[in-house]
Structures are given as C-alpha cells and as structure tokens.
Amino acid sequence: MNPDLLARGELSLNGRLVAASNGTFQGEVSLDGETATVVYKPVQGERPLWDFPDGTLAQREYAAYVVSEALGWHVVPPTLLRDGPLGEGMVQLWIDEAELPPGETELVDIVPQGRVPAGWVGVLDALDGRHNPVTLVHADNEQLRRMAVFDAVVNNADRKGGHVLNPGDGRVFGVDHGVTFNADDKLRTVLWGWAGEAVAEELLDDVRKLADGLAGAFGQELCTLITAVELSATRERCATLLKTGTYPLPSDDWPAIPWPAF
C-alpha cells in the first residue's frame, strides 16, 4: 500500500457503523488510482466519558498505534490523525476478517462449560442468557500473548472479543483503542488466560526497549498525544512488567472483563 494513501488520499464515507458507541464510519481513501477501505472516527462524534478528557479518544487510538509500532509488534492496523468530511479524527485501515471453515471458532469465543478446545484457555465460567453454564475462552497463541502484553502497557480498558481481528494470514490485529493510557489502572480485557504466568523473554526485551524510548525522545513525541501524567503511568506499567516478568492479574478495583464481552 502506498504509504501516503491514508494520509493524503481523498476520504469519502460509505456509511455509519451503528453498533459503535461513538461516531464511527466506514469509508474509502483514494490516491493516484489506489483505494483502501478505512474506519473514520471524527473527534466531534466522540461521546463524553467521565474518566477520560473530552475530545481525546482519537489521539489515544493513534497513540496506541504509535506504541505498537515502537514495540515492533504491529498489533494495531495502520492508523493516523487527519482531517475528514466531519473534521479531524482517527483514520485506520479496515481489516477484513477471514471466513472460518466449518467447525472452527473465532480467537475469542464462548463454549459450554467443560468443553474448552485443545489449544485454548478458559477465562471465566458464567451463565448465558438461557442460564446454560458456559466458559469464556480464547486461543493460546503467540499473537494473542503479545496482544495481552500490549494491552497491559497501554492500559486498555476495552479489549472485547470483537476487537480482536483475524485476517486469516497468521496475523492478529486489535482495534478500538480509544480508552487507553489512563493514569489509573483500568485494564479490562477478555485475554486473562495467562494471568500470573511468565511473559516470554523476547516480549520483555521489546518492552525494555520501549521503556528506554519512553524516557527519551519517543516519550516526548507520545506526550503530544497523551498527558505527562499518563506518560509517567505508562512508564510505570512497563517497569512493573519488567520487574515481575508476568502477565498482570485482574484488579479488585475495576471490572476485569468488558461487558458485553463481544
């Protein structure tokens, strides 16, 4: 893809994604005969939240992408801030999910209790809407392990199953990062399957490099998107990961799993 396509391409809208809580649109960017489908979230469409400053969600989405790239993990699809038909906002490359073969499930799913598939881990036992016992599960693979560490770094308060995208080529993408980087502990995710387990050393090495960057020029760059207090909290989260070497445990002070979970 032309690297200028997202930034300079003419942005037109196809329609609004009505299931989203904030103003979210699918559109297209076109430049020099090349076209790509995108998600566009204008700042003016953001719903005010009690625990995040108004008008900052698009910046947080972009900040999450910037950190993902700094880690070298490419967890977040290409994302930037730019002007659009409804003003400045976040523009992100649209990721088409693969059509799964019969019998296969998404990377995050709900199964009957006692039937966790091989190669998967259970997160939570509960009752579904018909009072049947079920278990929230997710795949046990390196891409999701990396995503879980990423979420801990950026303090993601909304990692739903529907925010985990599988394009079917071995990559896994995470989307909807508007409620990240809060200075308070707000990690809320469906990816708790490795809580308390050791993080792979190669992932910790990447976090260590990120921590070094956050203490220097990269941290100053990130401070144009989040506050100095939030930057300091991000550095502290990196330090905690490096000190413990383990995936974080759910907090008793904040709901651990987003609802709805998908």
Side-chain angles (χ1 to χ4, degrees):
M1 185 180 74
N2 183 338
D4 293 330
L5 183 58
L6 281 185
R8 298 197 298 109
E10 181 180 356
L11 175 57
S12 59
L13 304 185
N14 298 331
R16 181 168 182 171
L17 304 180
V18 295
S21 57
N22 294 293
T24 303
F25 300 83
Q26 187 195 64
E28 291 184 344
V29 287
S30 301
L31 180 68
D32 298 333
E34 186 176 1
T35 301
T37 304
V38 297
V39 174
Y40 167 53
K41 297 182 181 181
V43 172
Q44 70 170 356
E46 295 178 7
R47 183 183 64 180
L49 299 173
W50 68 269
D51 51 348
F52 286 85
D54 293 351
T56 66
L57 304 191
Q59 291 175 303
R60 294 170 193 278
E61 293 248 28
Y62 180 53
Y65 169 72
V66 169
V67 169
S68 168
E69 293 301 289
L71 284 163
W73 293 354
H74 313 300
V75 174
V76 183
T79 306
L80 47 73
L81 294 173
R82 57 162 287 179
D83 196 30
L86 299 176
E88 184 181 33
M90 184 279 295
V91 175
Q92 184 176 84
L93 185 68
W94 178 275
I95 301 297
D96 284 316
E97 290 201 86
E99 184 174 344
L100 297 175
E104 289 195 18
T105 61
E106 300 291 344
L107 294 171
V108 181
D109 205 353
I110 293 177
V111 300
Q113 277 188 27
R115 298 186 185 178
V116 178
W120 289 60
V121 289
V123 175
L124 174 73
D125 291 331
L127 298 177
D128 67 10
R130 298 182 178 180
H131 300 284
N132 297 313
V134 295
T135 301
L136 174 66
V137 299
H138 61 71
D140 184 6
N141 64 40
E142 294 306 312
Q143 291 81 9
L144 286 187
R145 285 178 178 266
R146 185 169 53 191
M147 185 179 290
V149 176
F150 170 77
D151 285 341
V153 169
V154 302
N155 197 16
N156 191 356
D158 197 29
R159 176 62 73 207
K160 294 181 171 133
H163 298 170
V164 179
L165 304 184
N166 175 17
D169 58 4
R171 297 177 298 169
V172 176
F173 290 104
V175 296
D176 286 314
H177 298 109
V179 286
T180 49
F181 295 102
N182 200 295
D184 297 327
D185 179 17
K186 292 186 179 291
L187 181 59
R188 191 168 57 169
T189 175
V190 295
L191 302 179
W192 287 114
W194 308 287
E197 294 185 10
V199 177
E201 194 59 40
E202 57 267 27
L203 298 183
L204 292 177
D205 286 342
D206 292 336
V207 173
R208 189 172 292 108
K209 294 174 185 176
L210 175 67
D212 291 342
L214 290 173
F218 178 68
Q220 295 177 4
E221 173 190 345
L222 197 61
C223 248
T224 65
L225 302 171
I226 62 176
T227 69
V229 173
E230 290 167 341
L231 174 64
S232 178
T234 304
R235 294 177 61 187
E236 289 177 7
R237 290 192 297 271
C238 290
T240 298
L241 277 169
L242 295 172
K243 181 179 179 180
T244 65
T246 61
Y247 289 89
L249 296 169
S251 171
D252 294 331
D253 300 326
W254 181 256
I257 295 176
W259 189 259
F262 289 87

